[in-house]
Amino acid sequence: MLPHRLSWAFAPAFVTLSLIAVAPGAVQAQTAPAPAAPPVSSSATATAHADPVIARVNGAEIRLSDVMEAAQGLPQEYRGMPQNILLPMLTDQLVDRAAVVTMARRQGLDKDPLTARAIARAVDETLENAVLRRDIEPTLTEAAMRARYATDIATKEGEVEVHARHILLAAEADAIAVIADLKKGADFGEVAKARSSDPGAASGGDLGFFKKDAMVPEFAEAAFAMKPGEVSEKPVKSQFGWHVIKVEERRAAPPPSFEQAQEGLRQAMIQEGVQKVMTAARAGLTIERFNIDGTPRKATDDAMPPGHPKP
């Protein structure tokens, strides 16, 4: 069953590039695909009516572009609805919103101090996003990201990985006995199969290649301090028990592919673009800072008045 009404919570954003703050002075960007508009003729007459008025509320026009922009903020499952159902529903909501806004203005709510401040903030945020979108979106091309990948990632040596095996035992004495057997020539893999309590015992305790942060600290410190072919001289204690470790190989991990690195590159370029915009915006401005009590800020001042904890 189709919803009778689409919540406005799903259709608040009318921009292709949504810039969302993730830290002070930093934003992320997400591109929202726009639903396809109804086909129009390329003739002059059709072009003149490519954005027709589809409703009026007390004389204020609602155009097809307004509805299509509202549709951009919908979840994907709603965008797939037939246009002969979706567009009238969105038009009804735009009409309702225009009617409520008209009522609010007639009642003077736009003059209410709290409402006026919220409107001013919305205007400021819209202008900020417009600048960021204008200056940053054109730089986020695949060609630019591939160039960045070639210089920052493809030519860099990857993080060190270790290929190791281990035998996990419940008691230190048992681990010491295993080390003694290995020194006498016992095969590490066979001992692991026979005595290790780790789920990987069936494969001879083989852990494959792993990065240092993939293991618990005690195990990682011991394994990455060893050379290929070495077996730990002493058992290594961790939260899982006592480990006997053998390092098979060490290598530099291959760099991630462009597809794997693309989103990280994109976010880094956005962060850099935001900082560039902020630096340019501040240039030539007089910026004054004040304490929370309104007094002029000095270099020695705390951010909070005496008696308040620092944030």
Side-chain angles (χ1 to χ4, degrees):
M1 180 179 294
L2 293 172
H4 176 68
R5 182 175 180 83
L6 301 179
S7 169
W8 279 112
F10 290 151
F14 298 152
V15 293
T16 300
L17 186 69
S18 174
L19 296 167
I20 306 169
V22 295
V27 297
Q28 292 182 330
Q30 295 182 340
T31 301
V40 296
S41 170
S42 59
S43 68
T45 301
T47 301
H49 296 284
D51 190 17
V53 174
I54 57 174
R56 286 192 179 92
V57 179
N58 211 35
E61 295 178 346
I62 297 174
R63 293 184 173 271
L64 178 61
S65 59
D66 299 320
V67 179
M68 301 309 292
E69 286 174 347
Q72 289 181 7
L74 293 174
Q76 193 61 46
E77 59 266 28
Y78 289 128
R79 296 187 196 183
M81 293 170 59
Q83 287 194 352
N84 64 335
I85 297 176
L86 177 62
L87 298 187
M89 292 173 68
L90 288 175
T91 301
D92 285 345
Q93 292 193 33
L94 287 171
V95 167
D96 287 344
R97 184 172 70 176
V100 172
V101 169
T102 299
M103 181 174 66
R105 291 186 184 279
R106 285 175 175 173
Q107 295 174 354
L109 290 179
D110 55 326
K111 304 300 190 296
D112 175 77
L114 291 178
T115 303
R117 288 180 63 184
I119 293 171
R121 284 196 301 270
V123 170
D124 288 348
E125 290 172 2
T126 301
L127 289 172
E128 179 186 21
N129 282 346
V131 172
L132 295 173
R133 187 170 60 250
R134 180 198 66 193
D135 292 353
I136 297 174
E137 183 178 8
T139 70
L140 303 177
T141 63
E142 181 175 339
M145 284 187 278
R146 285 191 178 277
R148 181 74 171 263
Y149 172 80
T151 58
D152 290 4
I153 296 178
T155 59
K156 300 292 178 65
E157 187 174 279
E159 187 178 351
V160 173
E161 293 181 328
V162 161
H163 175 198
R165 297 175 182 268
H166 82 134
I167 301 169
L168 180 63
L169 301 128
E172 182 180 16
D174 292 337
I176 292 173
V178 163
I179 292 174
D181 288 344
L182 293 171
K183 287 183 176 180
K184 293 176 184 177
D187 181 79
F188 194 99
E190 293 303 317
V191 175
K193 291 177 183 179
R195 304 189 60 176
S196 179
S197 61
D198 184 74
S203 61
D206 195 347
L207 297 171
F209 279 99
F210 55 86
K211 294 181 174 61
K212 195 170 186 179
D213 60 2
M215 298 294 177
V216 292
E218 303 89 346
F219 187 98
E221 289 296 331
F224 277 79
M226 296 166 60
K227 297 177 181 179
E230 286 186 340
V231 175
S232 52
E233 289 289 331
K234 297 179 181 179
V236 177
K237 180 71 168 66
S238 80
Q239 66 198 66
F240 302 106
W242 294 89
H243 305 266
V244 178
I245 305 170
K246 180 182 180 182
V247 170
E248 300 283 6
E249 302 174 74
R250 294 173 67 96
R251 72 177 184 187
S257 66
F258 171 74
E259 289 71 23
Q260 292 170 324
Q262 185 173 6
E263 184 56 27
L265 290 167
R266 183 171 177 271
Q267 295 304 325
M269 292 169 69
I270 290 171
Q271 299 281 344
E272 292 171 5
V274 169
Q275 291 303 317
K276 184 177 179 180
V277 171
M278 298 306 172
T279 299
R282 290 181 177 224
L285 300 181
T286 300
I287 299 175
E288 301 174 87
R289 297 184 181 275
F290 299 89
N291 292 314
I292 197 169
D293 61 0
T295 58
R297 184 78 185 276
K298 299 177 183 177
T300 56
D301 286 339
D302 291 329
M304 300 295 291
H308 287 259
K310 293 182 179 179

